[in-house]
């Protein structure tokens, strides 16, 4: 336990207070009819040694990207996390401080936030960034909410079936209580959103797309942006922050707001969280930007320094009229992303993107060459692609491949009934040729029940 | 050391991370992308050596105060000691490297922990339905407001109004608004508690929820809490309890028992998840049984037949998904480790010591500053610098700035709004009597100091008071070459 | 790689130097007949990602106290290391600083050294401690060397066969070049050094014993100290720093110099190093104490502060007349021990010792109750005991037990031919009753070839 | 924050680490120890909470300068960047949790790495016999002197003398003395190199070893190194090379090639093992083939028949064991990771950049301070403040203290002894040109400052200059209640 007071301390403190007992203190506040008189029924206290043992045992029951070769993606990726990220972000001064309400003793966090925001503008090609949101999915939804509040008098949101299905689910949840219409444009035969323009009209406040999309396919963002803007709406693009090492940035293709899941930038998979919601927008939209923002100013001695700024947008000032309800954000993950991007630099980011791109293409070709499998969506992909199994169940395949040491991919049937014989393979820079080749050998030995022959 | 920005340290051609050479056969398989999709050059990130990066951020870190280095009595934020063991445990590869879309049968260890955490949170709150999904306290509030909406919609009742206390965190009204509710404010009475008459006057069949914080942001436990919650229920409404102050009542009082129908936890506060410079937090919510069907999906259930833990998203009345993947697992795991470290009796001791520490500090501070709401509190209390301001021109902000020079983080100031020149102090249970004495002594010294010394404070920090107004008027939100 | 200079930098620097090339710089210094003109034949450079993979693979080939339940001791123990130790000792300011030559910017290290030294005096009951030596073995030998230099005109060293055999080997190595006689008193039937007094005479400069000894048995230190002092010699005791949670301290029983292996105080097993050599002595001997010492003083403003002190003992001042040749020591491990002991406190140390003591006794009884095994040395033990296998080879037993998940113990035959059917079992506070009972069940199922029946 | 000692923070009854309750059946099996063996109370260690411990040491750490935070041009110590990746790798459970007495078949991964490291060190030094056992550079020197002794003993030669250079580290004569040798000093000539005539006059059949450092502690590579080593060999002696300065010559010159018969490495310097506030280091030694049999035991060999790596201690001519267990494995692993990060060409680039950086800084510093030994150096150089001292009363110590105020660690001062008011600067290859420029500029500013400002320096540190004399005269080496 982490307590400080001995019984002697407690007595001394009670004496100073002028109370007989802690119970007296509590009873003076908590009325009898609100007291809990029992003992909480929780497992008994564990020493560190016992807990280490117990948690290690539970952890050992999980498969993971550490125990298996991970080809799973779908919005969370097994990118390499340099040791430097852990070493620095774990420093107590970062780890155990809070929101920089007292700027004078929070310059470390504030400067790192300012650096993060600048890096995000560099990644997105947009003007301003906030200091982070919860995750890629809620960032996408916050962007839509932001667009709805900016584009007055419109209540229609258009998105694509090739946007992350969970992001669309969150959007549905958020929009349910509001008077808004959500339209989902289907993906086309090549797995892209080429037909989305047909759904955009003069009631449309914003269009939400993902590029590279959920199937790993590249969208024609500039065309969609043109159609969106022509209709007087705003374009929100969810993007992959690694992809812009090679691909054009959202701001360069006409997106008004860019959002992303920043997990891949130096953050572990962590079974889905905490993750990092990235958001950037054009200058004109800044006063509608949700979340914390660090800005530059000078102190009384004229030194450059950093503060939380534009706080009048925020809930603690503006209450129900705030741009969002966000209080805590993901500063620590933003810090990790900042360290990660500092280590990579432009060339490192480019090479990482190149690895993802080329290894994915290589693997796609290998898999497509197997008789039993095909690649249903033709055309360029980045880091992810869809495989169709013509024979057997995807769940069995995944299970069997796990026996061979792989987290084989993400089945698509849970979100796309029409793709129930398909799954998504992600190939990050961590995957080696040997791992890819071995995976394909295992695939080629699958029987129709999914079991690996001879295994 | 310098406070140059990363971008100013950048040096063309310098590199830290290197990647392996691409296998030639892989490169050979690669076809060029359409030219209009690719950039001409990668984003203009800074170019640094690994040694640059390490030195830069290591030095940056030392410009922060933190729990690891300083007493941090930031009211309402529960800046308690963050156990190092929880970091080591949460980093175990079998936890940290689990992909969120892995099939349930591959993550039984993970799900067992989270399932057990659901039970623990239910037990501590007295509310049986649990969703671990919300990513932060405010996110939990939002989810709960959506639950209320779904509940009343199902019942066919139109209740567009949410009441919030005037002493509440700004997140309460903001979350209600985001869920589509109109908000109305319930006043505090002279004792700093809910003005029951005002509440009753606003309760009617339009009101969906009354959001309250108990103990409230003044650190006071509402004596009439049962009467209040009964009145809300009598009007057909629901009670939402903001869990920000749970550190005061673990094992002492349960929101479910005093009439709350819904609540969130802030595990990074109550259960010592590190605050990380602003986050990540998490915002698990607990609700009464009849609200359970509306909770976000997925939840974790145990299937006895298969003897397996499952992610359950086949819940037709659920409000649906409110974030991607499962939740802020890393933060939740730390909460689980924390609860396991203490057990039931230990958790009550946590709150007892938190209450004791706050009352002890209050017994010292009340001789230094006016404390408007009596000389008893729960885990925190709110003093007022308004007399000091009138008499010596020293504001709560001045006090906050000057106390930094004594090696203490400042209390929260100007919150809650119901106290003039508020100074909100939360010592937590993980500070010694010696530290509380030293803080009180420093506070006393500050109030005795000359105005000049204080107005210019802090004096010992790298930077003096920043010009916030200039920052907001002409916002500079990113580095550019010429600034 | 960790380099900073780009080719442009290099050119600019060369220009400032006034050299054409780095080769020119080198050639101006290194004569042609001393140049290496080839390329070093080393494996090719690895990126962090590649190295992580490769080293993980190598590490996975090792059994360890992480993969197996460890009952091995013999001078290195699987004690629990609290997470706090790692978290703090890994801070760059501790990790990447050096010997505090500039005291003003090394107060963190100096104060921690001073705290360590004080803790060591508290553990030993002696007056002064240095800031660490290499390991328990070389500390024992340095203590003997120190005694030889203090006790003038004597050149005989008496030790016991129940002292760690490797420590005795080091002693032999060190004494070989000097004009000294080393006498090893045999252990008695109960595994202690009861007869050692017979070997102490007026030529004896010092006596080196270990308590608890290598077999885990307790020695009668006070009696040995009396005999040693009666002969005008000094007593050096090697002790277990955990043991003094329950056992009397060296200084309380008459030892003049105490040494210990400090690995168990918060340091990982690390295949034998770096470890922590602990040494403390009586005040009168301080000017002969080898190694760094931090001392208290005041600065010019009168503030208490810390410096390296008594440096005139040291090699960089005294050169060939120094008390030792030590330059770098084990500061980081001493820091870890300091953090560890701060976390334990008196009660924690006592409880840890109690766990070792009681679990060892429990296990000893369990093993002794098995027909095939016996405990050859009767009498109290601390944390370790000797088991005799009446049937079968110890090496086979160890191997077979490994198959059941145990690092079963340390065979004694390598040092004690007469004990070739014996091995040493160590039981730290980490071992649970369940682990002990399971171990004994496995033992009871051993066949005479060592293989576990039915396994 | 305070600089109270742990002992002053101690509070009776406070606790951090707790142990599990002992199983009652275990306690029942326990018999009491003889009363004269047990204490009445455990040692009087300080009593602290976990939060105390964390805050105390975290704040203590910030009082240090370090490579992670500051430029640290401490000559002769090679304070280069310590890669974080090496820490992560060395902490892998399959490495860090290996018991030193495990049978060889259970640690093949570990032995394979160490065996490969033996080969790497042999390749880099040009000396084929390797012992990884010594725990530090000085320990390696001692081991090598014992090897020399064993070698000559086996040959039946009585050679009681070891020659050391007057510019050598103090460890050289101290190590030779510990091995039982008499030492004699060889002078430096006006160029700072070995005075060949003096050496020759001292070489005879009594001399076992000449210990030299090349490049030497002035950062100079001896032009006559081959002549020197030939002369020693001609006199029947051995040449020992102190490896402290290997960072200058990786892939550029090999001690084995220029005539050294034995050498040690300081992996914590050359191969970036972190310095840890003073250690741990390691001191692996390499020797010529005819000396290999005498190396300490065990060494690692590969047994082709069994296809296994083995710890070999069946080596009858070996000097025996010089420390417990295998060696400072944790430090050696980091050296291995470091070498693997660079490869052969990379290592040469390391030394080239180290030499380039030192010469660049020399080209700036020589305009500020007198540099007695020319305007070329290897990886470090030694300037002299003697003119400054004569003219302005500013000593090397004053310079060192004042430079701290500029955010730089001081160079080594007063070493080597052959230079008056020596200022020994080693920038290493992991510092940018910008940093070297800033350091030179600061040094220049210091030399222009008033004496008073400098004599009282440092001004910006927590403590000013400590009174060393008082510390040595009346040594206080532990805390006691009344001090």
């Amino acid at each position: 336990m982490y307590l400080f007071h001995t019984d002697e301390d407690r007595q001394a403190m009670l004496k100073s207070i002028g109370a007989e007992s802690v119970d007296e203190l509590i009873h003076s506040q908590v009325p009898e009819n609100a007291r809990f008189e029992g003992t909480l029924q929780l497992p008994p206290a564990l020493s560190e040694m016992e807990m280490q043992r117990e948690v290690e045992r539970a952890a050992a029951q999980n498969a993971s990207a550490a125990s298996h070769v991970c080809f799973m993606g779908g919005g969370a990726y097994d990118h390499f996390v340099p040791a430097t990220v852990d070493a620095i972000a774990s420093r107590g001064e970062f780890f155990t401080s809070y929101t920089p309400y007292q700027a004078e003793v929070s310059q470390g966090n504030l400067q790192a936030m300012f650096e993060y925001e600048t890096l995000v503008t560099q990644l997105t090609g947009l003007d301003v960034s906030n200091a982070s949101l919860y995750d890629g999915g809620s960032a996408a939804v916050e962007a839509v909410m932001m667009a709805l509040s900016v584009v007055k008098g419109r209540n229609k949101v258009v998105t694509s079936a090739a946007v992350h299905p969970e992001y669309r689910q969150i959007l549905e949840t958020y929009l349910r209580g509001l008077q808004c219409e959500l339209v989902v444009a289907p993906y086309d035969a090549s797995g892209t959103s080429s037909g989305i323009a047909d759904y955009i009209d003069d009631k449309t406040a914003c269009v939400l797309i993902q590029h590279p999309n959920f199937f790993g396919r590249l969208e024609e963002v500039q065309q969609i942006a043109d159609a969106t803007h022509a209709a007087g709406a705003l374009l929100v693009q969810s993007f992959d922050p690694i992809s812009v090492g090679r691909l054009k940035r959202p701001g360069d293709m006409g997106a008004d707001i860019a959002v992303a899941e920043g997990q891949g930038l130096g953050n572990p998979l962590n079974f889905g969280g905490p993750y990092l919601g990235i958001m950037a927008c054009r200058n004109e939209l800044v006063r509608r930007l949700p979340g914390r923002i660090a800005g530059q100013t000078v102190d009384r001695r004229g030194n450059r320094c950093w503060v939380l700024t534009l706080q009048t947008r925020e809930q603690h000032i503006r209450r129900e009229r705030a741009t969002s309800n966000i209080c805590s954000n993901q500063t620590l993950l933003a810090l990790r992303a900042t360290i990660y991007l500092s280590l990579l630099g432009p060339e490192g980011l480019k090479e990482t993107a190149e690895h993802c791109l080329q290894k994915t293409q290589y693997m796609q070709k290998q898999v497509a060459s197997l008789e039993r499998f095909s690649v249903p969506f033709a055309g360029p992909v980045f880091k992810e692609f869809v495989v169709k199994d013509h024979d057997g169940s995807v769940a069995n395949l995944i299970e069997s491949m796990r026996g061979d040491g792989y987290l084989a991919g993400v089945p698509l049937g849970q979100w796309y009934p029409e793709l129930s014989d398909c799954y998504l393979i992600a190939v990050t820079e961590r995957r080696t040729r040997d791992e890819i080749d071995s995976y394909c050998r295992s695939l080629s030995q699958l029987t129709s029940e999914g079991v690996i022959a001879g295994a | 050391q310098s406070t140059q920005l990363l971008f100013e340290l950048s040096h063309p051609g310098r590199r830290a991370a290197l990647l392996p050479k691409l296998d030639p056969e892989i490169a050979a398989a690669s076809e060029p992308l359409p030219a209009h999709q690719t950039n001409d050059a990668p984003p203009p990130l800074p170019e640094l050596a690994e040694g640059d990066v390490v030195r830069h951020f290591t030095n940056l870190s030392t410009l922060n105060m933190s729990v690891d280095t300083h007493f941090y009595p930031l009211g309402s934020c529960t800046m308690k000691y963050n156990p190092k063991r929880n970091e080591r445990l949460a980093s175990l590869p079998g936890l940290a490297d689990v992909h969120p879309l892995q099939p349930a049968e591959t993550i039984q260890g993970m799900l067992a922990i989270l399932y057990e955490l659901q039970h623990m949170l239910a037990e501590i709150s007295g509310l049986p339905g649990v969703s671990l999904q919300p990513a932060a306290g405010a996110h939990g509030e939002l989810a709960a407001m959506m639950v209320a909406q779904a509940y009343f919609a199902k019942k066919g009742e139109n209740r567009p109004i949410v009441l919030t206390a005037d002493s509440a965190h700004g997140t309460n009204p903001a979350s209600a608004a985001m869920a589509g509710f109109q908000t109305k404010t319930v006043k505090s009475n002279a004792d700093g508690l809910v003005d029951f008459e005002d509440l009753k006057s606003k309760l009617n069949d339009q009101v969906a929820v009354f959001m309250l914080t108990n103990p409230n942001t003044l650190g006071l436990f509402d004596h009439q809490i049962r009467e209040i919650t009964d009145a809300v229920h009598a009007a057909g409404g629901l009670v939402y309890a903001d869990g920000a102050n749970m550190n005061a009542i673990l094992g002492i009082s349960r929101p479910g028992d005093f009439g709350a129908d819904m609540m969130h936890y802030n595990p990074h506060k109550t259960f010592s998840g590190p605050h990380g410079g602003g986050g990540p937090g998490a915002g698990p919510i607990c609700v009464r049984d009849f609200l359970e069907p509306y909770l976000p999906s997925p939840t974790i259930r145990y299937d006895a037949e298969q003897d397996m833990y499952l992610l359950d998203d086949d819940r037709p009345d659920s409000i649906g998904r409110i974030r991607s993947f499962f939740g802020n697992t890393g933060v939740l795991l730390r909460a689980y480790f924390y609860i396991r470290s203490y057990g039931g009796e230990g958790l009550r001791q946590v709150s007892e010591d938190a209450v004791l520490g706050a009352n002890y500090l209050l017994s010292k501070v009340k001789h230094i500053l006016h404390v408007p709401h009596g000389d008893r509190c729960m885990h925190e209390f709110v003093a007022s610098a308004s007399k000091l301001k009138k008499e010596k021109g020293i504001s709560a902000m001045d006090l906050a700035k000057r106390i930094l020079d004594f090696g203490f983080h400042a209390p929260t100031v100007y919150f809650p709004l119901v106290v003039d020149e508020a100074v909100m102090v939360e010592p937590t249970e993980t500070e010694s009597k010696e530290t509380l004495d030293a803080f009180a002594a420093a506070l006393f010294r500050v109030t005795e100091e000359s105005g000049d010394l204080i107005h210019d404070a802090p004096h010992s920090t790298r930077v003096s008071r920043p010009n916030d107004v200039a920052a907001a008027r002409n916002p500079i939100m990113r580095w550019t070459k010429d600034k």
Side-chain angles (χ1 to χ4, degrees), chain A, chain B:
Chain A
M1 301 209 298
Y2 316 109
L3 298 174
F4 276 64
H5 305 324
T6 62
D7 284 341
E8 290 73 34
D9 293 333
R10 292 187 182 109
Q11 288 310 316
M13 292 164 84
L14 284 166
K15 198 170 162 195
S16 170
I17 295 165
E20 279 296 310
S21 66
V22 175
D23 272 356
E24 181 192 317
L25 286 180
I26 289 170
H27 293 174
S28 76
Q29 289 276 313
V30 182
E32 201 175 343
N33 64 5
R35 289 179 208 151
F36 176 69
E37 299 291 0
T39 299
L40 294 172
Q41 295 305 301
L42 298 171
L46 292 181
S47 67
E48 181 175 2
M49 219 162 76
E50 292 165 298
M51 188 146 66
Q52 182 83 30
R53 175 187 308 272
E54 189 159 316
V55 177
E56 277 178 4
R57 200 172 290 162
Q61 289 171 33
N62 301 322
S64 74
S67 62
H68 290 66
V69 183
C70 179
F71 286 92
M72 293 181 75
Y77 301 93
D78 182 30
H79 286 293
F80 184 72
V81 181
T84 307
V85 178
D86 289 327
I88 295 174
S90 63
R91 285 179 61 85
E93 295 95 327
F94 284 131
F95 219 71
T96 70
S97 54
Y98 200 28
T99 309
Y101 296 118
Q102 297 294 337
E104 297 86 344
V105 292
S106 309
Q107 287 295 303
N109 284 330
L110 283 163
Q111 184 173 334
M113 285 161 76
F114 184 80
E115 291 176 338
Y116 165 81
E117 290 164 11
T118 302
L119 291 168
V120 169
T121 65
Q122 293 178 339
L123 288 180
T124 56
L126 288 164
D127 302 316
V128 288
S129 160
N130 66 15
S132 73
L133 296 168
Y134 303 138
D135 67 346
S138 56
V141 174
E142 290 275 354
V144 169
M145 305 285 277
M146 181 180 160
L148 283 167
S149 76
V150 171
V151 185
K152 303 284 180 199
R154 295 183 175 201
N155 67 352
K156 181 171 155 184
V157 176
V158 175
T159 186
S160 158
V163 166
H164 195 305
E166 292 195 349
Y167 293 15
R168 289 185 281 114
Q169 289 170 355
I170 308 167
L171 195 54
E172 281 172 36
T173 304
Y174 271 64
L175 293 182
R176 191 172 301 122
L178 314 174
Q179 308 305 319
C180 290
E181 184 192 359
L182 177 63
V183 177
V184 181
Y187 58 85
D188 64 18
S190 77
T192 71
S193 313
S194 59
I196 196 168
D198 300 345
Y199 297 81
I200 304 169
D201 58 23
D202 60 4
K203 291 196 196 110
T204 305
C206 78
V207 176
L208 167 65
I209 60 165
Q210 179 177 339
H211 163 75
N213 73 24
F214 188 68
F215 307 127
R217 295 276 290 114
L218 307 189
E219 300 281 3
E220 294 298 335
V221 180
Q222 186 69 62
Q223 289 177 18
I224 298 171
D226 291 346
T228 303
H229 293 152
L234 293 176
L235 181 63
V236 180
Q237 182 196 333
S238 176
F239 75 110
D240 179 328
I242 300 287
S243 73
V244 294
R246 285 290 282 112
L247 300 182
K248 279 210 170 67
R249 304 176 298 178
D252 298 336
M253 300 182 295
D256 301 289
I257 309 174
V259 294
E261 174 51 70
Q263 173 268 327
L265 303 176
N267 291 294
L269 286 165
N270 258 338
F271 188 51
Y275 279 3
L276 171 63
I278 290 173
M279 179 183 281
C281 66
R282 289 191 285 105
N283 241 332
E284 306 87 272
L285 306 175
V286 62
R287 296 202 183 248
R288 284 288 171 176
L289 192 60
R292 311 276 184 187
I293 302 174
Q296 180 178 319
T297 186
V298 289
D299 74 357
R300 291 191 178 177
R301 302 172 207 138
N303 297 313
R304 180 173 68 171
C305 62
W306 289 274
V307 289
L308 289 182
T309 194
L310 300 182
Q311 295 200 62
T312 49
R313 297 165 301 116
E314 292 186 40
Q315 42 77 22
H316 62 287
I317 307 279
R318 210 179 182 76
R319 302 181 78 86
E320 65 275 11
R321 293 183 312 282
T323 54
S324 91
N325 67 338
I326 283 174
C327 180
S328 75
N329 60 17
Q330 311 293 104
T331 308
L332 193 71
L333 291 95
L335 172 70
R336 294 178 65 97
T338 305
I339 300 167
Y340 177 84
L341 290 168
S342 306
L343 291 168
L344 256 61
E347 288 305 313
L349 187 69
K350 180 180 171 179
E351 290 172 11
T352 302
E354 197 67 56
H355 271 254
C356 297
L357 202 52
Q358 297 201 13
K359 288 172 177 173
T360 304
Q361 293 197 33
Y362 173 80
M363 185 161 183
Q364 196 179 20
K365 281 196 183 163
Q366 300 297 107
V367 174
S369 73
L370 301 174
E371 202 175 333
R372 173 169 156 179
F373 299 94
S374 68
V375 171
F377 301 138
V381 289
F382 175 80
K383 202 166 88 178
E384 242 160 336
F385 64 99
V386 176
V387 184
K388 185 178 189 129
D389 178 5
H390 295 283
D391 178 15
S393 110
V394 169
N396 289 349
L397 175 151
I398 300 268
E399 190 182 341
S400 172
M401 290 293 284
R402 191 163 59 247
D404 257 22
Y406 303 100
L407 296 179
V410 175
L412 288 172
Q414 56 189 314
W415 301 294
Y416 302 93
E418 72 279 15
L419 300 177
S420 62
D421 53 355
C422 293
Y423 72 102
L424 200 55
I425 291 181
V427 194
T428 68
E429 80 287 357
R430 291 196 79 172
R431 300 286 71 83
T432 63
R433 185 177 165 205
D434 185 45
E435 289 170 343
I436 295 170
D437 291 347
S438 304
Y439 182 106
C440 293
R441 266 195 305 280
S442 284
L443 268 194
S444 71
Q445 287 161 23
L446 280 179
T447 69
S448 61
E449 282 73 41
V451 180
I452 289 168
Chain B
Q1 291 299 295
S2 98
T3 49
Q4 283 187 294
L5 289 161
L6 281 177
F7 315 98
E8 294 159 343
L9 289 167
S10 175
H11 184 92
R14 213 170 265 166
R15 300 228 17 202
L18 298 176
L19 280 102
K21 287 249 176 309
L22 266 165
D23 184 292
E25 291 205 34
I26 286 178
S30 175
E31 280 157 40
L33 292 180
H36 72 281
Q37 292 279 16
T38 59
N39 56 33
D40 298 325
L45 304 176
E47 300 177 63
L48 302 158
E50 192 168 307
D52 277 327
V53 174
V54 168
R55 196 174 284 169
H56 176 74
F57 287 104
T58 303
N59 282 317
L60 261 196
S61 77
T62 63
L63 302 178
N64 292 336
M65 278 191 176
S66 64
V67 176
D68 273 8
T69 51
H70 297 83
F71 179 46
Y72 207 127
L74 191 70
S76 183
C77 298
T78 314
M79 302 300 290
K80 62 168 72 179
Y81 170 66
N82 304 139
K84 300 297 176 195
R85 69 188 67 167
N86 296 354
E87 302 310 315
R88 174 156 81 184
L89 294 169
S91 304
L92 286 170
L95 298 176
D97 295 331
V98 170
H99 191 282
L101 299 173
Q102 283 179 223
E105 64 268 26
T106 69
I107 48 171
Q108 288 296 299
M110 175 71 84
L111 294 181
I113 288 176
L114 295 172
Y115 181 77
E116 199 181 345
L117 179 62
Q118 287 182 171
H119 274 280
M120 290 167 162
L121 296 182
E123 169 68 11
I124 295 166
S125 65
L127 292 166
V130 182
S131 167
L132 299 177
Q133 190 164 88
H139 203 219
E141 295 171 11
L142 175 61
M145 292 307 106
M146 291 171 168
V147 165
Q149 216 165 39
Y151 167 72
F152 287 117
K154 180 94 173 186
K155 280 181 78 175
E157 294 182 30
N158 177 33
R159 290 177 176 261
I161 294 171
V162 165
L163 303 178
T164 63
D166 59 0
S167 64
H169 292 101
T171 51
N172 287 188
S175 300
M178 273 191 79
F181 286 107
Q182 303 156 37
T183 64
K184 284 195 183 167
T185 303
V186 176
K187 282 190 291 194
S188 299
N189 62 23
D191 295 332
L193 305 174
V194 171
D195 184 328
F196 195 23
E197 296 312 311
D198 188 50
L199 170 64
K200 281 192 285 190
S201 76
K202 286 169 179 158
L203 280 175
N204 56 38
D205 64 0
Q206 298 290 294
V207 172
V209 186
F210 178 34
M211 300 180 84
L212 59 77
T213 312
N214 185 42
N216 69 13
T217 57
L218 293 162
L220 304 174
F221 196 102
D222 209 306
H223 300 288
Q224 291 183 286
I225 187 66
R226 290 296 295 269
E227 290 76 2
I228 291 167
T229 56
D230 287 349
V232 177
H233 293 153
L238 298 171
V239 175
Y240 183 83
D242 182 321
N245 295 341
M246 280 302 288
N247 209 47
I249 57 168
L250 300 169
I252 290 173
S253 181
R254 307 198 305 174
D257 296 348
F258 65 60
D261 304 292
M262 312 185 279
M263 67 165 289
H264 74 262
Y265 286 94
N266 298 97
H268 56 295
K269 298 180 183 176
T270 313
F271 303 131
S272 84
H275 284 63
I285 56 176
C286 299
V287 298
R288 237 176 249 298
D289 48 6
F290 62 83
L291 295 172
E292 199 278 336
Y294 307 95
L295 284 175
S297 278
T299 54
I300 299 171
R301 70 177 174 85
Y302 174 68
D303 186 297
E305 214 166 294
Q306 300 179 64
D307 186 22
M308 251 180 74
Y309 298 97
L310 298 173
L311 283 171
D312 186 5
D313 54 7
D314 184 15
R315 303 173 55 251
D317 287 334
S318 165
I319 61 166
R321 176 174 284 285
I322 56 154
R323 55 155 286 158
S324 29
F325 309 122
F326 179 73
N328 275 3
T329 315
V331 181
L332 298 168
L333 289 174
R334 286 167 177 85
Y336 173 83
F337 304 146
Y338 182 84
I339 296 170
R340 293 296 316 262
S341 295
Y342 274 111
E345 286 171 29
L347 281 189
R348 185 178 166 110
Q349 190 68 57
V350 164
S351 285
E352 286 192 3
D353 277 10
V355 169
L356 177 64
N359 277 282
Y360 176 70
L361 192 52
L362 170 57
S363 77
K364 304 230 148 190
V365 169
K366 71 183 179 188
H367 302 298
I368 305 168
L369 291 175
H370 177 55
V371 179
H373 296 101
D375 57 8
R376 286 288 184 276
C377 64
M378 294 299 284
H379 67 304
E380 67 187 356
F381 61 89
V382 179
S384 167
S386 84
K387 188 154 160 274
L388 208 60
K389 189 166 182 200
K390 260 176 243 144
E391 289 172 7
K392 296 181 66 178
I394 297 172
S395 66
M397 182 62 80
D398 290 331
L399 278 185
K401 296 304 181 191
R402 180 59 182 149
I403 203 79
L404 304 175
D405 285 329
F406 288 80
F408 300 107
H409 195 279
T412 296
V413 287
Y414 301 109
F415 182 79
L417 310 175
V418 296
V419 172
D420 195 34
E421 296 291 325
V423 176
M424 186 190 202
V425 185
E426 182 181 8
T428 86
E429 73 282 5
T430 60
E431 297 292 341
S432 68
K433 179 170 170 295
E434 299 92 300
T435 298
L436 304 185
D437 290 341
F439 176 76
L443 193 65
F444 177 72
R445 241 185 88 185
V446 171
T447 60
E448 298 285 299
E449 285 181 335
S450 80
D452 285 354
L453 194 58
I454 295 182
H455 294 314
D456 289 340
H459 302 279
S460 59
T461 50
R462 164 68 69 96
V463 302
S464 62
R465 293 193 206 183
N467 191 334
D468 298 297
V469 177
R473 192 168 300 153
N474 174 28
I476 305 174
M477 289 173 296
R478 61 164 165 165
W479 173 87
T480 48
K481 263 198 182 141
D482 33 292
K483 266 175 198 152

